[in-house]
Amino acid sequence: MSVRENTAAVSEARTEEEATPSGRAEARTVPREEGPSAHAAGPAPGHVRHLTRLLASEIGLTFRRPRNLAMLGVLAVVPVLVGVAVRVASDGDAGGSIIGQIAGNGLMLTFAAFVVMMPIVLPLTVAVVAGDAIAGEAAQGTLRYLLVAPAGRTRLLLVKYANVVVFCLAACALVALSALVTGLVLFPVGPVTLLSGTTIPAADALLRVGVVVLYAAAGMAALGAVALAVSTLTEAPIGAVAASVVLVVVSQVLSAIPQVAAVRPVLLTSWWGAFDGALRAPVAFDQMGQGLLAFAAYVLVFGSLAWSRFTSKDITA
């Protein structure tokens, strides 16, 4: 079969309707590779265009799925609920904790939202998307058609992970935006008193919000690498999601047990809370830097595991 016939078959196969967990159907579009560039050696422009279009297709599909939109909706609503609860129950005592300071300054709601959501809400959302990346394609019978395309297994895996990273960044940005808007509406806004006792202008606090968003997204991207690796080990998406969430819960339980404190530095969840380094003066870059190194190590280890498994497994679906 010619290259054009192969790519045409891929395009037709990828536009077949995919059943989603909600029972609805979605149309999926995959870019068609042009002409003989599929066999060109090296990073030909045709390959770059193909990967760019494939990534755009993955991102578009991710943000069109009703399930994912519902999860993003939950992420946007939780900061609102926290803000309303503090507004209703506030007795005017700001207190010293992040949540205790919300009543005195709405900007603190942004930081409090990550304190509340980092342990389970954000990880669950990311685990669903990353765990479905490969296992979902296998369960729907589209993985073989994807691999007919000239992108190859390695590049396809990179595209899948890049899509997960984009989702992590979007999810964390949505949490921050929702909390920021809610804080501006419900509470007074002014200079922010940090956990170290130093007061900084509101503009500087907004810059620190950006640091928190990027750090939280990096932590979720590390979890995405773990869930992606698990996704290559099974053809059941729900199994990959459940396994990833169980790993998060077990890690948090171990972090809370003093007798096993020695293993905390190697637990992914132990570093998620290090974003509070942005609420100190000076910023605790050493603590946050160690967290970023831990995230990078998880991405490297589990990314390598995903690559090793995905490039050597027999694709039967």
Side-chain angles (χ1 to χ4, degrees):
M1 183 180 290
S2 67
V3 173
R4 187 173 297 276
E5 290 172 341
N6 269 333
T7 55
V10 175
S11 179
E12 293 173 2
R14 292 292 304 272
T15 55
E16 292 179 354
E17 292 184 343
E18 300 179 18
T20 62
S22 61
R24 298 181 59 183
E26 299 172 336
R28 184 167 190 168
T29 304
V30 171
R32 178 179 297 181
E33 185 66 27
E34 300 177 358
S37 62
H39 296 289
H47 284 298
V48 175
R49 287 195 300 270
H50 175 79
L51 290 177
T52 302
R53 293 174 183 175
L54 183 58
L55 177 58
S57 174
E58 290 292 334
I59 294 174
L61 178 63
T62 297
F63 287 95
R64 286 197 306 268
R65 282 182 170 169
R67 174 197 63 195
N68 296 345
L69 292 177
M71 292 190 300
L72 291 174
V74 171
L75 295 182
V77 167
V78 171
V80 177
L81 296 178
V82 173
V84 171
V86 173
R87 178 68 176 179
V88 171
S90 175
D91 58 1
D93 181 15
S97 66
I98 294 178
I99 296 180
Q101 295 185 50
I102 296 175
N105 195 326
L107 292 178
M108 295 302 295
L109 178 59
T110 307
F111 303 109
F114 283 98
V115 171
V116 172
M117 301 176 70
M118 282 292 283
I120 192 62
V121 180
L122 271 170
L124 176 60
T125 304
V126 172
V128 170
V129 174
D132 186 67
I134 300 298
E137 298 283 4
Q140 295 169 3
T142 57
L143 188 55
R144 286 182 299 177
Y145 297 115
L146 278 174
L147 295 177
V148 174
R153 297 193 182 195
T154 299
R155 293 178 182 177
L156 177 60
L157 192 65
L158 289 175
V159 166
K160 291 289 188 180
Y161 184 65
N163 175 61
V164 171
V165 172
V166 170
F167 182 84
C168 293
L169 185 58
C172 293
L174 179 62
V175 170
L177 181 61
S178 174
L180 182 61
V181 172
T182 303
L184 291 174
V185 171
L186 297 180
F187 305 102
V189 175
V192 174
T193 301
L194 302 177
L195 296 179
S196 56
T198 306
T199 300
I200 61 174
D204 290 346
L206 290 176
L207 293 177
R208 295 182 183 235
V209 168
V211 172
V212 171
V213 169
L214 294 176
Y215 184 88
M220 293 300 101
L223 174 63
V226 176
L228 186 64
V230 177
S231 184
T232 63
L233 302 175
T234 179
E235 296 182 358
I238 188 62
V241 174
S244 302
V245 174
V246 167
L247 288 175
V248 170
V249 173
V250 170
S251 179
Q252 291 176 341
V253 170
L254 292 176
S255 298
I257 301 176
Q259 288 78 5
V260 293
V263 303
R264 287 179 185 173
V266 301
L267 298 176
L268 177 61
T269 57
S270 299
W271 298 102
W272 284 349
F275 69 83
D276 64 358
L279 297 178
R280 304 183 185 279
V283 177
F285 286 116
D286 53 345
Q287 179 184 0
M288 299 178 71
Q290 292 176 11
L292 293 176
L293 289 176
F295 299 156
Y298 267 84
V299 171
L300 178 62
V301 171
F302 285 92
S304 299
L305 175 62
W307 175 83
S308 176
R309 171 61 178 169
F310 188 59
T311 55
S312 62
K313 69 182 295 188
D314 292 331
I315 304 300
T316 60

